[in-house]
Amino acid sequence: MDMMISNLQQQRQINEQLRREAAIKRILVSQAVQDILKYIQEHENEDYLLKGFSSQKANPFREKGGCSIV
Amino acid sequence: MAVNENGNESIELLTKEADHLKQKLEEERQKLNDVTLATVAERLEHINFLSNIKTRRHLKGHQSKVLCCDWCTDKRRIVSSSQDGKLIVWDAFTNNKEFAVSTPSTWVMACAYAPSATHIACGGMDNKVTVYPLTHEDDSAKKKTVGTHTSFVSCCMFPNSDQQILTGSGDSTAALWDVETGQLLQSFHGHSSDVMAVDLAPSETGNTFVSGSADKTVLVWDMRTGQYVQSFEGHFSDVNSVRFHPSGDAIATGSDDATCRLFDLRADKEVAVYSKESIIFGANSIDLSVSGRLLFAGYNDYTINVWDTLKCVRVSLLFGHENRVSSVKMSPDGTAFVSGSWDTTLRVCIFHL
């Protein structure tokens, strides 16, 4: 009997979860994709791994060769 | 409501309702599936200069497999953890080791840098998540066990502040811990197998996180209620890695099924698969460039594949590691990424002309 009650409770939780998931608002894939595209295009110029560094100074990993003793 | 003629709920009716709900969910998702990402991206120019991504630092010092790594918020330091039981903090600008911490366990599968840069956290086969202060005094007594799972800790991160740690575990749960008191603030039940990875949504409120599991699913959680709000299926094997797209609207994943995927939160479905017939080994760890255009994925075949997330094609294949690539992480400002490998080393790569 206890087993049955716990099974019932488990199934109840599963259904509640499914009801919540079924009730969420969705948008068209075309709209979602457009928004991803827009975000990427707006940020591409800050993407160093995509566009490279604007100058060697902007590269924190550059070899600092020009050391001189004063 | 699933109620029978006696006014009682029965398993039978509930199961029937569950099947109906699942079917409805799938129908709703398909109804909105009007285009594919790759067709929308067709008009974009190809990315064709990625032979310029090169290793700039090769960090050597671990005695065994590197299992995890994480950047410091200073965009300069990196913490790594290894099967040798050690944590090492590196200065990626100079190649120097700044700290080495010996933990009592082996298989330190997870490590994270605290946002304040004063502490690091780690976890692994000891089932615990432990925080170590970064001081030069030899005082391992200052370490602090924050939380304990009933199985291994696969991943850990500081969500937003030093005060809390989020963990994923082989006990199928994720958990949020208070660092100061060691109190379990919230546990997250929903996966049916090992939780392999977690990532926090990039929004300032930071109340949403995502988890990937060996049960092949990806769940999106509300941190306050402890319940998951969305679930994504599609992978055919363990989901090893999950990362939020920098826009916050999508989630990228890497899996043992040799594919990476992109799931959109608002369309509530998978929108892209990144795979090639020649790629047959699992993807262990992934991360996205700051714009979200590039997906870096470390595989069991020792390579790192770079994907164009929009055109859904591979734009570069990086060699160098001599064993499995276990961890790939973008630096906070996107100038570089680090990869950790079972070959005991880490590599820091940048775009170099």
Side-chain angles (χ1 to χ4, degrees):
Chain A
M1 193 62 195
D2 282 351
M3 180 77 168
M4 263 181 69
I5 288 167
S6 93
N7 280 346
L8 194 66
Q9 247 159 13
Q10 221 173 14
Q11 189 62 46
R12 231 181 254 154
Q13 275 172 1
I14 292 169
N15 284 32
E16 258 171 50
Q17 182 66 43
L18 283 167
R19 276 185 223 123
R20 273 199 300 271
E21 285 186 68
I24 68 164
K25 277 206 185 110
R26 293 181 189 81
I27 63 168
L28 280 168
V29 170
S30 54
Q31 179 63 53
V33 164
Q34 272 307 329
D35 290 349
I36 291 175
L37 194 69
K38 187 162 169 267
Y39 182 91
I40 290 175
Q41 286 175 334
E42 282 171 1
H43 292 82
E44 266 182 352
N45 284 333
E46 308 149 28
D47 196 335
Y48 303 108
L49 285 160
L50 186 65
K51 301 280 182 183
F53 296 102
S54 49
S55 71
Q56 261 312 297
K57 267 198 166 159
N59 173 8
F61 293 91
R62 71 186 178 277
E63 306 302 335
K64 294 184 182 75
C67 264
S68 59
I69 300 161
V70 182
Chain B
M1 244 333 180
V3 180
N4 66 14
E5 63 270 23
N6 302 323
N8 296 321
E9 283 177 298
S10 77
I11 283 274
E12 204 186 326
L13 285 168
L14 281 169
T15 315
K16 217 182 260 177
E17 191 202 21
D19 288 342
H20 175 70
L21 283 166
K22 276 182 205 161
Q23 202 188 333
K24 195 181 141 204
L25 250 166
E26 203 37 53
E27 280 170 15
E28 287 295 318
R29 282 170 173 164
Q30 284 312 322
K31 239 189 255 173
L32 299 168
N33 190 21
D34 55 344
V35 290
T36 67
L37 179 56
T39 52
V40 174
E42 245 167 32
R43 62 184 173 83
L44 300 179
E45 276 179 48
H46 274 284
I47 301 169
N48 54 14
F49 43 79
L50 283 167
S51 55
N52 292 323
I53 290 180
K54 289 175 185 146
T55 302
R56 270 296 156 263
R57 298 288 182 270
H58 197 190
L59 308 176
K60 300 175 190 174
H62 279 296
Q63 305 297 311
S64 187
K65 296 168 184 170
V66 174
L67 302 176
C68 188
C69 55
D70 191 27
W71 285 90
C72 178
T73 46
D74 69 3
K75 308 153 205 157
R76 170 173 190 157
R77 290 180 177 82
I78 294 166
V79 62
S80 59
S81 68
S82 163
Q83 199 191 337
D84 64 14
K86 282 211 172 67
L87 294 157
I88 296 179
V89 173
W90 313 81
D91 181 340
F93 287 0
T94 63
N95 259 18
N96 290 338
K97 291 191 219 41
E98 296 204 329
F99 295 96
V101 178
S102 292
T103 76
S105 73
T106 57
W107 284 98
V108 191
M109 298 157 80
C111 63
Y113 227 117
S116 71
T118 57
H119 294 75
I120 49 175
C122 70
M125 291 305 262
D126 60 355
N127 302 356
K128 290 174 185 157
V129 60
T130 310
V131 170
Y132 290 86
L134 293 174
T135 57
H136 281 289
E137 300 151 45
D138 184 29
D139 195 358
S140 56
K142 278 188 182 160
K143 75 169 184 181
K144 181 173 181 132
T145 299
V146 171
T148 308
H149 279 277
T150 56
S151 182
F152 64 87
V153 173
S154 58
C155 53
C156 64
M157 69 177 301
F158 289 87
N160 305 320
S161 78
D162 282 20
Q163 271 88 56
Q164 295 178 352
I165 295 179
L166 183 64
T167 52
S169 166
D171 66 13
S172 308
T173 71
L176 184 68
W177 310 89
D178 183 83
V179 172
E180 189 61 38
T181 62
Q183 197 191 343
L184 175 65
L185 298 172
Q186 186 71 260
S187 65
F188 304 91
H189 297 262
H191 282 298
S192 57
S193 187
D194 310 349
V195 175
M196 302 304 292
V198 292
D199 191 33
L200 192 73
S203 84
E204 279 156 36
T205 44
N207 285 317
T208 304
F209 79 95
V210 61
S211 61
S213 162
D215 69 9
K216 306 172 197 167
T217 70
V218 174
L219 299 180
V220 182
W221 302 86
D222 184 331
M223 225 184 251
R224 294 158 301 180
T225 64
Q227 283 175 330
Y228 65 92
V229 288
Q230 275 176 284
S231 62
F232 294 108
E233 291 175 15
H235 279 296
F236 296 109
S237 189
D238 302 18
V239 179
N240 294 322
S241 188
V242 288
R243 292 297 281 177
F244 261 94
H245 192 275
S247 69
D249 289 333
I251 293 154
T253 56
S255 161
D256 269 348
D257 68 10
T259 72
C260 298
R261 292 172 198 247
L262 191 69
F263 297 92
D264 190 274
L265 291 174
R266 296 181 307 153
D268 191 35
K269 75 182 292 296
E270 180 186 292
V271 290
V273 182
Y274 309 108
S275 66
K276 259 175 108 73
E277 226 167 86
S278 58
I279 301 172
I280 54 169
F281 288 89
N284 287 320
S285 183
I286 59 146
D287 207 350
L288 293 152
S289 66
V290 288
S291 72
R293 181 77 190 260
L294 301 175
L295 173 73
F296 296 83
Y299 291 76
N300 282 339
D301 63 4
Y302 313 173
T303 67
I304 293 168
N305 284 289
V306 188
W307 298 93
D308 178 344
T309 57
L310 294 177
K311 293 179 97 69
C312 304
V313 292
R314 182 172 73 187
V315 289
S316 194
L317 177 58
L318 309 176
F319 298 96
H321 281 301
E322 289 161 12
N323 206 327
R324 293 183 180 202
V325 180
S326 53
S327 189
V328 175
K329 287 271 168 64
M330 200 63 50
S331 78
D333 60 353
T335 52
F337 72 90
V338 62
S339 55
S341 164
W342 282 17
D343 71 9
T344 75
T345 71
L346 298 112
R347 286 171 179 268
V348 180
C349 292
I350 64 162
F351 184 106
H352 193 265
L353 288 171

